[in-house]
Amino acid sequence: MGKDGREGRTDRIDAVYRECGFEAYAKEIGILLGKEIPFAIDISLEDFGKLTDLLGGFSVFVPSPVDGVSPDGERWLLPFGVVTLDGDKIQTYVTYRTEGEDDSDVVSRRQTAVMSMLTAIHAQRAALLDKKNFPLYAEKLHTDLTEKNLYKLISYLSNINVETDHLIPQTIQGSLRRLPSTGETVLFPLFEGQLIKDVVQQAEDSLIHEGGSSYRYVLQVLNGTTVKGSASNASILLNGLGNFDVLPAADADRNDYEHTVIINYMQSDTSEALTALSNFITCKNIEHRPSSSLAGESNSDFTVILGKDWDGRYVRGGYVNPENLPQEETASEGGESAEASGASESAEVTKTE
C-alpha cells in the first residue's frame, strides 16, 4: 500500500513505479522501511529472462505441473520438481497464477526466483566478474550506480552463499482492505508499518555488529492463550530476527498464561542473543533452564510462551516474575530489604526511648 503524496490519494505502492518510475518507487520504499535507499536496480521481465540465460538458468522447485493460459492468451507450461529454468520459463514462473492462488503465492515465487539468481551469481562469479564479460550482464541492470560501483556491488553479492548464509525472505504482514476509489484490494501493514521498520532495523544491526556470533539459535514460539494464530504470527515476526532459526509454532501446555515468558535452555553465554530477543518483543520476563537439568524438555535453545500481555507485536506491561530474577539481583534486593527493616526497627526503638 502506498500513498501518492502529489495527489493525496491512497493506492497500491506499485502505482508509484508505474506512474513515476523506479527512482520514485525506491524513495517510497525507503519511507516504508524507515531507511534512505542510496541506490536502486531495476530489471525488466525481459531482461530478467536474458540474465537467467547468461547465468546458465535458475534452479527452482515447482510443486506440480503447470499448464494454463494467461489473461492475454499466453500458454503457461512448467514441469514439476526441482528444475533449472531458462529465460523464457523463468518469466513464466514469476508471472503465472493458478486457480485459487493469491498475490502472496506470486510474491513467494518471485522471492524464490531472486534467491535462485543469487545462487547462480555465486556459482558463476568467475565468469560474471571477468572485466570483459561484465558489461554483458550490467546492461541488463538499469541503475543509478556508476559501472564501477555496480561492479563492486555484484562482486559483494557473488560472495553470498544462499544455502549457508541463512537468507530469509520476509513477508509483509497486514490486513487486506478494499479501496472505495478503485475497488482494488490492498495490504495495509500491521502496526501502521512499524513492524517492517523494526525487522529491517534488526537485520541491519545484525549485519553491522562487529564480533557477532555466527551461531544459529533455535527458537520456538508456543501459544499460551486462547487467541488462535498468535504463535504462528509471532513465529513469522521472529523469522527475521538475527541468528535465529524458528521452529513451527505450537500450543503451550495450557492456554491461560497471564504473562509472556522467554525460557533460555542454553548453558553457554547467550546474553547477546537473549537481549536481542527480549528487546525485540519487549519481554523482560526471562526464565533460565539449562538443558542439562531438564534433558529432553525442549528441542530449542529458546522458547517464547505467549501470554495475555502479548498484543501481536509487543509484550505490554513489563512484568517480571521475581522467581525468574538472577540470584545476585534477588540477593541484592533482599539485602536492601534487610537493611531497611533494621533501620526501621532502630528508629522505632529510638522513638520509644
Side-chain angles (χ1 to χ4, degrees):
M1 185 279 294
K3 187 171 183 177
D4 187 330
R6 297 174 309 153
E7 301 181 22
R9 79 174 193 267
T10 300
D11 204 342
R12 292 171 56 100
I13 197 168
D14 54 5
V16 179
Y17 178 86
R18 294 194 303 269
E19 299 175 16
C20 306
F22 86 98
E23 291 182 352
Y25 180 68
K27 184 177 181 180
E28 194 71 21
I29 293 294
I31 294 173
L32 178 67
L33 301 180
K35 298 288 179 182
E36 180 180 355
I37 297 180
F39 60 86
I41 296 177
D42 184 29
I43 310 176
S44 69
L45 184 61
E46 181 182 358
D47 283 338
F48 190 69
K50 292 178 181 178
L51 190 61
T52 301
D53 289 332
L54 285 173
L55 290 170
F58 295 166
S59 179
V60 299
F61 174 69
V62 182
S64 58
V66 176
D67 186 353
V69 180
S70 74
D72 298 329
E74 178 189 356
R75 186 74 179 273
W76 288 329
L77 287 172
L78 289 176
F80 75 96
V82 178
V83 293
T84 299
L85 302 180
D86 62 17
D88 289 335
K89 292 299 185 184
I90 200 68
Q91 292 181 64
T92 298
Y93 178 78
V94 299
T95 55
Y96 85 87
R97 184 195 298 253
T98 60
E99 185 178 354
E101 289 189 328
D102 56 24
D103 287 347
S104 64
D105 298 301
V106 179
V107 168
S108 177
R109 281 196 292 273
R110 291 175 179 175
Q111 289 178 328
T112 299
V114 171
M115 299 284 275
S116 299
M117 179 181 68
L118 291 175
T119 299
I121 287 175
H122 178 72
Q124 301 294 330
R125 67 186 312 269
L128 172 61
L129 296 178
D130 187 301
K131 292 295 181 68
K132 296 179 180 179
N133 296 335
F134 186 75
L136 296 175
Y137 299 90
E139 66 182 12
K140 308 297 185 292
L141 309 174
H142 306 281
T143 178
D144 47 2
L145 287 171
T146 64
E147 184 172 338
K148 180 180 179 180
N149 286 336
L150 178 61
Y151 184 88
K152 289 181 179 179
L153 174 64
I154 299 301
S155 178
Y156 173 79
L157 292 177
S158 70
N159 291 319
I160 296 176
N161 188 325
V162 171
E163 294 184 0
T164 61
D165 289 338
H166 302 284
L167 297 186
I168 303 174
Q170 290 296 313
T171 301
I172 295 177
Q173 300 296 306
S175 58
L176 294 173
R177 304 177 197 170
R178 186 177 296 276
L179 296 178
S181 57
T182 63
E184 285 192 284
T185 300
V186 300
L187 180 72
F188 284 75
L190 289 176
F191 301 97
E192 299 182 348
Q194 186 58 46
L195 174 57
I196 305 171
K197 294 181 175 68
D198 291 344
V199 170
V200 171
Q201 183 62 54
Q202 182 63 42
E204 182 180 278
D205 291 345
S206 66
L207 286 172
I208 66 176
H209 181 70
E210 295 183 359
S213 171
S214 60
Y215 182 83
R216 302 293 299 180
Y217 297 98
V218 180
L219 171 67
Q220 184 169 39
V221 183
L222 303 179
N223 190 1
T225 75
T226 56
V227 181
K228 293 183 178 180
S230 290
S232 297
N233 291 335
S235 295
I236 294 172
L237 165 69
L238 292 168
N239 239 333
L241 179 62
N243 296 334
F244 289 95
D245 291 326
V246 183
L247 297 175
D251 289 329
D253 57 330
R254 63 180 202 270
N255 63 5
D256 59 351
Y257 277 81
E258 287 291 333
H259 304 288
T260 300
V261 59
I262 298 174
I263 303 175
N264 175 18
Y265 293 102
M266 299 286 288
Q267 288 183 307
S268 58
D269 179 18
T270 58
S271 57
E272 184 178 322
L274 188 58
T275 298
L277 175 59
S278 173
N279 289 343
F280 192 68
I281 62 174
T282 64
C283 180
K284 299 179 180 179
N285 192 29
I286 301 171
E287 182 176 339
H288 298 272
R289 298 185 197 172
S291 56
S292 61
S293 63
L294 293 168
E297 178 176 345
S298 176
N299 294 321
S300 62
D301 299 319
F302 301 99
T303 295
V304 177
I305 302 180
L306 302 178
K308 294 179 181 178
D309 52 359
W310 172 252
D311 70 357
R313 171 62 185 93
Y314 299 108
V315 177
R316 300 295 184 184
Y319 172 81
V320 179
N321 187 337
E323 295 181 1
N324 294 339
L325 289 173
Q327 290 184 355
E328 58 271 18
E329 186 173 343
T330 304
S332 174
E333 290 181 353
E336 291 177 1
S337 298
E339 290 177 7
S341 176
S344 175
E345 290 177 1
S346 175
E348 185 175 349
V349 170
T350 303
K351 184 177 180 180
T352 303
E353 291 176 348

